[in-house]
Amino acid sequence: MTLQLGETAPDFTVASTEGNIQFHEWLGDDWAVLFSHPADYTPVCTTELGAFAKRKDEFASRGVKLIGVSVDPLDSHKDWAKDIEKTQGKGLNFPLLADKDQVVADLYGMIHPKADPKVTVRTVFIIDSAKKIRLMLTYPPSTGRNLDEILRVIDSLQLTDNHKVATPVDWKNGEDVIIVPSLSNEEAKERFPDGWDEQTPYLRVTRQPGRK
């Protein structure tokens, strides 16, 4: 199945380390980061799960829930969790789906046969409170994810959902933003009374809304 940005994230019911998860019900009115792992007891995944656990509060402060998935069974997950806590200094504090029947993997296109027909690739989905897919990232099995980038994208999405702005290259929360081209100068004056730097008629840089 090929998913695209803006589509409704497929629903599913799958066992997890925190009991059965019916995804849409579990998500409620929050956002989610859904991320897959090639297999249990793999070194890169071990570091990632520990890192997500350590930074769970940063995601929660943005109204974002974490949920991992692997095609290994639940018993394997629970044993692996002990290694994660031992080596990374933080235990699992979010659900890890036991997708042994590849329900989630198939719905979200996480099996890439030319990469490896037996395991999920390292994918990330950011899903908003309307259950729409807002970002998809696919990494090779050998490359760990960058959590700072995932948080940066969430900050950008949540900011631009509420204001007529876009975020430029390498933007970080608190930095200047771009007024969207569809907004006329007259409309922009109402929204951005402090003005902007008009580098070209379509590139108008302004202070991030809400920044002190």
Side-chain angles (χ1 to χ4, degrees):
M1 181 177 182
T2 301
L3 296 174
Q4 296 184 348
L5 297 183
E7 290 186 9
T8 298
D11 197 13
F12 55 80
T13 301
V14 171
S16 83
T17 52
E18 296 186 4
N20 285 346
I21 297 284
Q22 183 178 341
F23 183 56
H24 283 190
E25 180 181 348
W26 172 86
L27 182 58
D29 294 326
D30 293 311
W31 289 51
V33 174
L34 170 66
F35 51 100
S36 62
H37 297 281
D40 292 357
Y41 301 105
T42 51
V44 176
C45 302
T46 301
T47 64
E48 287 183 325
L49 285 169
F52 273 114
K54 289 176 183 176
R55 302 183 71 174
K56 180 183 176 181
D57 289 346
E58 294 180 56
F59 288 93
S61 69
R62 295 161 167 83
V64 180
K65 294 179 176 178
L66 300 173
I67 186 166
V69 57
S70 168
V71 295
D72 287 323
L74 190 58
D75 287 346
S76 175
H77 285 357
K78 290 181 177 179
D79 287 339
W80 182 31
K82 299 172 186 176
D83 286 352
I84 294 168
E85 184 169 12
K86 178 182 177 181
T87 63
Q88 304 306 305
K90 187 71 173 180
L92 282 179
N93 51 15
F94 53 84
L96 180 59
L97 299 172
D99 191 32
K100 62 184 181 66
D101 295 324
Q102 299 185 4
V103 172
V104 180
D106 288 340
L107 284 172
Y108 283 80
M110 293 173 173
I111 302 290
H112 291 198
K114 292 184 179 179
D116 191 320
K118 298 178 181 178
V119 301
T120 52
V121 291
R122 201 179 303 279
T123 50
V124 178
F125 292 87
I126 294 177
I127 299 163
D128 68 18
S129 57
K131 302 175 179 61
K132 302 296 184 182
I133 296 171
R134 303 297 299 277
L135 171 133
M136 298 181 291
L137 284 173
T138 301
Y139 294 78
S142 59
T143 303
R145 281 164 275 229
N146 186 319
L147 272 63
D148 288 332
E149 172 63 5
I150 295 172
L151 285 163
R152 188 187 79 90
V153 173
I154 291 169
D155 286 339
S156 174
L157 289 169
Q158 294 183 342
L159 175 70
T160 58
D161 277 356
N162 293 310
H163 301 280
K164 296 289 187 179
V165 297
T167 55
V169 61
D170 294 333
W171 174 88
K172 295 182 181 66
N173 193 19
E175 296 179 349
D176 288 349
V177 297
I178 298 168
I179 301 171
V180 296
S182 61
L183 201 67
S184 70
N185 282 346
E186 289 70 26
E187 294 169 317
K189 288 176 184 177
E190 297 180 8
R191 289 179 175 269
F192 307 101
D194 292 335
W196 56 84
D197 173 18
E198 186 168 307
Q199 299 178 12
T200 73
Y202 60 84
L203 180 54
R204 297 168 293 175
V205 179
T206 190
R207 180 186 297 269
Q208 177 178 317
R211 189 181 74 185
K212 296 180 180 179

